[in-house]
Amino acid sequence: MPEETIFSKIIRREVPATILFQDDRVTAFRDINAKAPTHILIIPNKVIPSTNDVTPEDEGVLGHLFIVAAKLAKEQGIARDGYRLIVNCGRHGGQEVYHLHMHLMGGRPLGPMLMPAG
Ligand code: DGP
């Protein structure tokens, strides 16, 4: 069994978070360190540490992350102007929490996708 992170405690509501959506497969809550007016994390309830650990049986839940992202973007009023979905993986990807998560960010122009190559 992969190791749990703080995100499992958020799913079980053992630590506080602003949960915007939850069903039997995914949970969505506001990022504690928001980098945009809307910054939401959408995560599978099942612990998948990173995209390196994804298996074919995860296809359904990973597709569901996009469905929930689109629904939340509409609800948050950012769908028309657009937004960014990010999944970080590993050290070079800047992943801090090893429970796969999709960032939904919007509410202002987000600028170029990456810093210039250095
Ligand atoms: P990443 O770098 O992709 O692993 O992003 C992890 C994000 O998780 C980061 O933007 C901050 C957020 N985060 C970390 N701990 C907590 C927490 O306890 N609560 C909430 N709401 N967000 C958290």
Side-chain angles (χ1 to χ4, degrees):
M1 280 287 274
E3 217 171 291
E4 288 194 348
T5 70
I6 186 87
F7 287 0
S8 291
K9 292 192 167 72
I10 288 174
I11 292 165
R12 293 195 297 265
R13 297 172 190 249
E14 292 168 4
V15 302
T18 306
I19 294 179
L20 302 174
F21 178 86
Q22 187 167 46
D23 65 10
D24 58 328
R25 288 189 284 171
V26 312
T27 300
F29 52 95
R30 290 203 189 278
D31 192 296
I32 205 168
N33 187 18
K35 299 208 169 62
T38 298
H39 188 167
I40 297 166
L41 300 176
I42 308 164
I43 71 176
N45 293 339
K46 165 190 175 185
V47 181
I48 305 169
S50 81
T51 51
N52 283 337
D53 304 294
V54 162
T55 68
E57 78 174 32
D58 300 323
E59 192 170 331
V61 70
L62 295 177
H64 195 46
L65 293 183
F66 279 91
I67 302 293
V68 173
K71 167 187 157 58
L72 287 171
K74 283 196 195 84
E75 286 175 8
Q76 298 290 315
I78 60 172
R80 182 187 292 260
D81 285 335
Y83 50 88
R84 187 169 291 161
L85 300 174
I86 297 174
V87 179
N88 293 323
C89 177
R91 193 164 54 90
H92 282 192
Q95 186 174 6
E96 292 168 10
V97 180
Y98 280 77
H99 182 134
L100 189 151
H101 49 280
M102 177 185 277
H103 296 257
L104 165 60
M105 308 166 88
R108 66 167 170 80
L110 295 171
M113 191 168 70
L114 290 175
M115 308 259 284

